[in-house]
Amino acid sequence: MTLLSQLGDLWQRRPNLVHWTAVGVVALVALVLVAGTQGRARSAAAAWGAPVRVLAASSPLAIGTSVEGNVDLVEVPAHLVPAGALTSTLDVGDVTRTVPRGGLLTELDIDPTSGVTPGRRGIGIGVGPHAPEVRPGTAVELMLFADIDPFNPAEANVSADRVRAHVLASQAERWLVEVDAADLESVARASATGVIVPVVLSATR
């Protein structure tokens, strides 16, 4: 009797045992494979970190664009989340530097000092209660009146230096502006000893 005929005879005489043994072996192999796949998936997830919900730009954001209404909350693996990533629009104002579509927003994107162009300088100035309302990126001309005696303002030199600047941030009676490095000393002097009168040139940079 050949081997094949012996196996056939065994199958006919004990079909249930052979059948369920085969089913058990297949099920065991499948279980091992699934467990291995799940283990690898857990290891990969642990390597990237748990997902974190952060703000991403839903469209390109120009300087001065409000964060509110222009961002989405997206889930990003913790390993890929940049330092200072924003997780809420609460108390977040306008962006102070451009952000591409899909870019994750960080504290630097709303930090007034982060919008300073390389080679230029940022400086805070007092602008008085009658200054025009401006947004980040507004081009202005600063009329600088320095060395004014507060007790004798009428005797002040009425000639003014004129400096071009861009607004980085503004609040009541105080702006943060960007100026050429060569003009920094003149602006600081006028801010400390005199008066600065801003004139709006354009609404965009």
Side-chain angles (χ1 to χ4, degrees):
M1 182 179 292
T2 65
L3 178 61
L4 290 178
S5 61
Q6 290 177 346
L7 291 176
D9 185 56
L10 178 63
W11 177 264
Q12 290 177 355
R13 285 186 287 118
R14 307 183 66 181
N16 290 337
L17 175 62
V18 175
H19 173 75
W20 289 113
T21 299
V23 170
V25 170
V26 172
L28 181 61
V29 171
L31 181 63
V32 170
L33 291 176
V34 170
T37 301
Q38 290 179 337
R40 287 191 295 272
R42 285 193 294 269
S43 297
W48 286 100
V52 178
R53 292 173 64 83
V54 294
L55 297 182
S58 56
S59 60
L61 304 182
I63 294 174
T65 303
S66 174
V67 171
E68 186 70 36
N70 292 300
V71 294
D72 297 318
L73 267 175
V74 299
E75 287 193 349
V76 178
H79 184 70
L80 300 179
V81 175
L86 301 179
T87 59
S88 170
T89 59
L90 185 64
D91 296 328
V92 175
D94 302 337
V95 296
T96 56
R97 62 181 184 181
T98 57
V99 180
R101 180 177 183 177
L104 303 183
L105 273 74
T106 71
E107 294 172 352
L108 291 177
D109 295 314
I110 58 168
D111 179 359
T113 61
S114 69
V116 179
T117 303
R120 289 167 66 85
R121 298 291 185 270
I123 182 173
I125 61 172
V127 293
H130 303 296
E133 293 186 3
V134 293
R135 295 172 61 86
T138 301
V140 296
E141 182 177 69
L142 304 178
M143 300 177 63
L144 309 178
F145 298 90
D147 301 320
I148 294 178
D149 185 346
F151 299 102
N152 294 292
E155 298 180 6
N157 185 350
V158 294
S159 63
D161 291 331
R162 296 173 181 268
V163 169
R164 295 291 184 95
H166 286 99
V167 177
L168 297 177
S170 64
Q171 56 185 12
E173 300 186 30
R174 190 160 185 83
W175 293 358
L176 180 67
V177 297
E178 173 193 282
V179 299
D180 286 334
D183 296 322
L184 183 63
E185 184 177 348
S186 298
V187 175
R189 180 180 172 187
S191 181
T193 68
V195 176
I196 297 179
V197 179
V199 178
V200 174
L201 299 179
S202 69
T204 57
R205 201 165 193 152

